[in-house]
Amino acid sequence: MSDDFPSSKFERGKIFAKTGLKLGTNYARRHLKKAAGRKESREESSRFHTENARQVFNEFSKLRGTALKIAQSLSMDQGLLPEEFTEVMGEAQYSVPPINKALARSIIKKQLGAYPEQLFRFFNPEALAAASIGQVHKATLRDGRPVAVKIQYPNVRETIQSDLGMAKLLIKRFVKNGADLDDYFEEVQSTLMEETDYIHEGEQIEAFHRRFSGDRYITPRWIREYSTQKVLTMTFIEGKHLKEFLDTSPSQEKRDHFGQLLWDFFHDQVVQRDTVHADTHPGNFFFTDDDQLGIIDFGCVKKFPIDFSNKYLRLLPIHMADDIDKIRDLFLELDIIRENPDNPRKEEQFFQFCMNYGRAFAEPYKTDEFDFGDQEFRERINRFAKEPPIMNEPRGSKHFIYSTRVHLGLYNLLMKLGARVNTRKSREKALAVLEEMTA
């Protein structure tokens, strides 16, 4: 990675503009071919979308920050963009290059008042992990405690609004004309402002530690004196990520144990109706040697409005009961389907898809124990995730951006684990909360 990190609005604007020009040229050529009567095969269409998505992803990778966060959000939004685009954007979860060592070192000096080797007994200049907004280094405090030091990339927070404005212009090339993206982008902007405030994240670390840390879960502690809004230091959690854990060929008993912890952690948050850890990504969970579930990264936490939480919880019993009329009514309330669509046949197709997807999602709750290693269930969920009818317009409440990310992320973790999970208690608790909310 060169020293020319694009941190100013002008530099970032040039990259967005170049990307927009490339896409505009590509779409113009495609339109001329169609206007001339040349039919496009499915393979050609797929290749066109993949190549365009690759261009966007390559440029967004240079920008990191808001651009990559948008890519991550879009990769979870089923039905808004072509499948090829969401597959490429999904790489934003994993393929982020770190900034160079000198820049990381200077950020710490500016934020904490001294270079890392002066502040810490040990500081590893090689990034342990790199994500869209910042990267993490392992270090040791003077008192011997191992810590993780998260460094925010330059000017991420300052360029959020301008990045989102330019990204919206790009995304509109893919979506249906006239589609209103404002609510979606406002939700992403609000969340990004919180994620780029590391003082806020430190407070969330402490809040989740009070709520969950104990015999079953382990969470970091915030080291306030070594933290600012753009540098976050926390105690280090030892453990294996999902892939490392699976590489040890764990027993079914171990898989079930950690699967149950993941399931209970998610549902305990729902039942408590407080903030929810909204980044259910494999990199944010550790499987420890003493059988605890380690949980990290509390930048993306959400507190959903009561009205949305109520409706979201109602999806469970009506899908379990397979009450099609109530499902349709609730989908209308959640803005998933339209009451007077331009294309009724296509709208009905989308309704059937969403209803069947909901049935699949509700399946684990129908029995007291569910096997997420079931191949048929896995194939069904993956098929729904990969083959939505393309509506090319945002559908549903803006809060689905993060609720879907959490729920689908949980299922993906459990399916990779092949875990058998007791679902009875969580189902009963969720239905009790729903009854209380609607009383």
Side-chain angles (χ1 to χ4, degrees):
M1 180 58 60
S2 74
D3 293 331
D4 298 324
F5 181 79
S7 58
S8 73
K9 292 180 182 179
F10 176 72
E11 291 173 311
R12 298 175 74 80
K14 284 197 300 183
I15 292 176
F16 272 111
K18 183 176 73 171
T19 307
L21 181 61
K22 285 181 180 178
L23 290 183
T25 301
N26 293 345
Y27 273 83
R29 288 173 179 167
R30 186 191 195 204
H31 177 73
L32 287 174
K33 288 179 181 178
K34 287 187 174 182
R38 185 180 182 282
K39 291 186 177 181
E40 185 178 70
S41 69
R42 178 173 294 185
E43 291 76 15
E44 288 174 321
S45 175
S46 177
R47 186 166 58 251
F48 174 81
H49 289 308
T50 298
E51 289 172 356
N52 277 286
R54 180 63 57 193
Q55 288 183 352
V56 173
F57 176 76
N58 288 341
E59 298 304 322
F60 278 16
S61 292
K62 297 175 187 175
L63 293 167
R64 298 184 185 81
T66 305
L68 272 184
K69 275 294 177 183
I70 293 168
Q72 290 175 352
S73 297
L74 290 173
S75 71
M76 298 297 292
D77 196 326
Q78 307 303 325
L80 176 59
L81 300 172
E83 179 188 348
E84 296 84 359
F85 193 95
T86 58
E87 284 185 356
V88 172
M89 289 297 106
E91 294 179 23
Q93 302 280 358
Y94 309 102
S95 306
V96 185
I99 57 175
N100 65 67
K101 299 173 187 178
L103 181 54
R105 188 168 175 267
S106 68
I107 292 171
I108 291 181
K109 170 68 164 63
K110 182 178 180 180
Q111 291 296 313
L112 298 180
Y115 289 112
E117 62 269 19
Q118 297 170 315
L119 293 166
F120 302 97
R121 177 187 293 181
F122 166 79
F123 181 87
N124 191 339
E126 300 289 344
L128 186 67
S132 54
I133 287 175
Q135 62 189 44
V136 178
H137 294 256
K138 189 173 183 180
T140 305
L141 295 179
R142 293 294 177 186
D143 63 11
R145 282 181 293 169
V147 293
V149 182
K150 183 156 70 169
I151 304 168
Q152 190 174 127
Y153 300 136
N155 279 4
V156 170
R157 187 177 178 85
E158 290 77 9
T159 56
I160 287 174
Q161 190 168 4
S162 58
D163 273 11
L164 283 171
M166 289 182 281
K168 189 190 293 186
L169 294 176
L170 283 180
I171 300 307
K172 281 187 174 180
R173 296 183 183 276
F174 294 95
V175 302
K176 185 176 178 180
N177 290 337
D180 186 3
L181 297 172
D182 289 346
D183 280 353
Y184 279 66
F185 276 85
E186 285 174 9
E187 181 69 7
V188 172
Q189 179 173 337
S190 173
T191 303
L192 278 169
M193 291 302 289
E194 291 187 350
E195 283 194 67
T196 52
D197 180 355
Y198 285 174
I199 297 297
H200 172 76
E201 182 172 351
E203 292 168 345
Q204 292 298 332
I205 287 172
E206 289 300 290
F208 272 82
H209 183 82
R210 290 192 297 270
R211 287 170 62 189
F212 289 103
S213 201
D215 294 337
R216 307 181 76 209
Y217 309 108
I218 181 170
T219 63
R221 299 302 304 271
W222 180 30
I223 311 298
R224 186 187 295 261
E225 59 269 32
Y226 286 89
S227 300
T228 68
Q229 192 180 63
K230 297 182 180 181
V231 171
L232 175 67
T233 302
M234 69 206 91
T235 54
F236 194 84
I237 303 294
E238 295 282 359
K240 297 180 179 67
H241 284 304
L242 178 62
K243 185 178 184 305
E244 297 170 317
F245 173 72
L246 293 176
D247 285 345
T248 67
S249 300
S251 66
Q252 186 65 50
E253 183 181 5
K254 285 282 187 183
R255 292 167 182 259
D256 295 347
H257 170 77
F258 284 113
Q260 191 69 54
L261 290 178
L262 283 162
W263 179 269
D264 290 346
F265 175 68
F266 169 76
H267 287 87
D268 285 348
Q269 293 176 87
V270 172
V271 169
Q272 290 180 19
R273 284 180 286 172
D274 205 335
T275 50
V276 175
H277 185 290
D279 199 359
T280 313
H281 176 272
N284 292 334
F285 298 93
F286 290 104
F287 304 94
T288 74
D289 290 339
D290 55 357
D291 292 336
Q292 289 180 298
L293 178 68
I295 305 148
I296 61 169
D297 199 340
F298 297 92
C300 185
V301 296
K302 299 298 296 180
K303 187 174 179 65
F304 297 110
I306 292 296
D307 182 58
F308 174 78
S309 296
N310 185 350
K311 292 173 182 175
Y312 191 78
L313 282 174
R314 281 167 54 200
L315 287 169
L316 175 60
I318 64 173
H319 276 105
M320 288 176 63
D322 208 21
D323 191 324
I324 297 177
D325 290 337
K326 287 186 178 180
I327 291 173
R328 191 182 296 274
D329 289 343
L330 186 53
F331 280 8
L332 284 168
E333 288 183 51
L334 286 165
D335 201 29
I336 295 171
I337 58 173
R338 304 280 191 255
E339 192 162 15
N340 296 300
D342 296 334
N343 188 331
R345 184 189 64 79
K346 189 175 181 181
E347 194 73 17
E348 181 62 23
Q349 179 189 14
F350 188 61
F351 168 70
Q352 293 294 330
F353 168 84
C354 292
M355 180 173 62
N356 288 326
Y357 198 1
R359 285 170 176 160
F361 248 76
E363 195 170 320
Y365 299 89
K366 293 181 179 179
T367 57
D368 289 348
E369 183 178 279
F370 188 79
D371 182 3
F372 281 91
D374 179 79
Q375 187 64 28
E376 185 180 341
F377 176 77
R378 186 181 310 180
E379 290 174 357
R380 188 157 63 252
I381 287 290
N382 288 338
R383 185 171 64 251
F384 280 118
K386 291 182 178 180
E387 300 177 5
I390 299 301
M391 303 303 289
N392 294 106
E393 59 179 306
R395 287 298 184 98
S397 165
K398 63 183 181 181
H399 301 296
F400 275 119
I401 295 175
Y402 295 100
S403 63
T404 300
R405 181 175 172 177
V406 172
H407 215 154
L408 185 57
L410 172 68
Y411 277 25
N412 283 333
L413 286 169
L414 294 172
M415 288 188 294
K416 287 176 181 176
L417 273 173
R420 295 174 302 203
V421 173
N422 183 300
T423 62
R424 179 179 60 82
K425 290 182 180 178
S426 55
R427 178 184 69 239
E428 292 175 351
K429 287 180 180 178
L431 294 177
V433 168
L434 178 60
E435 185 176 342
E436 179 184 333
M437 294 172 72
T438 56

